[in-house]
Amino acid sequence: MTLSLIAPPAEEPVTLAEARAHLRLDAAEEDALLQALVTAARTALEAETRRAFITQQWRLTLDDWPSRPIELPLAPVAEVTAVKVALLSGAMLTIDPAFYEVDAKGEPPRLAAKRGQAWPMPATRLAGIEVEFTAGYGDAAAVPQPLKQALLLLVAHWFENRAPVGGGRELPLTVSALVAPYRRMRL
């Protein structure tokens, strides 16, 4: 299973001005660093929660159809835009959306063939199935406030502590507490 970003978010959940205000910075000398920290913090928190904050396009590539519904690795899912299967010619066949159903609101979001249907087998043994989907809460205004606050706190932490600290994987406790309700647990 491979997850690939097709189209990144068009904006960040917090603006440069919001990050600067949070840090009480008046000057713009470190704006490039601050913007990089905002993007890095969003990416880290998206990985931590297994959620897309701002609308993004993703492709999940599989070798074979699982016996259970396909679990999409990111939430929330707005829509599944395409399900494709490799043909002998090397082209990809797009499966009719009437053939499958999507549980976009599920935790995790899932995709399955409708009752009585069977997925067509891919002609290749590896990476012969592609599921393209849109994930994210929407625009910056739609991102839950606790996630925005966690992002700002993580940016501030990294801005103030530019040298690596600890094992490098731990989030500050306040950030961890803010994202805890949004974590998708792995079973």
Side-chain angles (χ1 to χ4, degrees):
M1 174 170 78
T2 303
L3 185 63
S4 306
L5 180 63
I6 299 171
E11 61 183 337
E12 293 295 345
V14 298
T15 65
L16 186 58
E18 289 169 322
R20 199 181 304 129
H22 181 76
L23 289 167
R24 296 183 180 146
L25 294 176
D26 294 326
E29 291 113 17
E30 300 201 76
D31 278 0
L33 170 64
L34 204 50
Q35 188 63 57
L37 290 175
V38 166
T39 300
R42 175 192 43 85
T43 303
L45 293 177
E46 284 177 336
E48 180 71 20
T49 61
R50 296 175 62 207
R51 295 185 179 278
F53 292 180
I54 303 289
T55 300
Q56 307 167 32
Q57 300 293 319
W58 289 87
R59 178 183 298 121
L60 177 65
T61 305
L62 305 167
D63 296 334
D64 205 356
W65 298 108
S67 58
R68 298 172 44 166
I70 297 168
E71 294 183 359
L72 300 176
L74 292 173
V77 168
E79 68 175 323
V80 171
T81 54
V83 178
K84 301 176 183 179
V85 181
L87 299 173
L88 283 173
S89 66
M92 296 297 281
L93 168 71
T94 301
I95 298 174
D96 183 350
F99 179 83
Y100 56 86
E101 55 191 351
V102 178
D103 176 17
K105 303 291 184 213
E107 285 290 335
R110 299 172 299 155
L111 166 73
K114 289 188 176 176
R115 290 207 185 274
Q117 302 288 355
W119 292 113
M121 292 307 297
T124 61
R125 191 171 171 166
L126 301 173
I129 301 165
E130 294 179 350
V131 178
E132 295 180 2
F133 62 99
T134 303
Y137 289 102
D139 63 8
V143 177
Q145 191 57 42
L147 293 176
K148 288 183 180 185
Q149 188 62 37
L151 193 150
L152 288 170
L153 289 170
L154 189 54
V155 166
H157 175 73
W158 286 345
F159 187 82
E160 296 297 326
N161 302 286
R162 296 185 190 193
V165 292
R169 298 269 311 148
E170 298 84 23
L171 291 174
L173 291 176
T174 306
V175 172
S176 188
L178 285 167
V179 300
Y182 298 93
R183 281 192 179 100
R184 288 184 49 218
M185 297 298 163
R186 294 181 174 129
L187 300 177

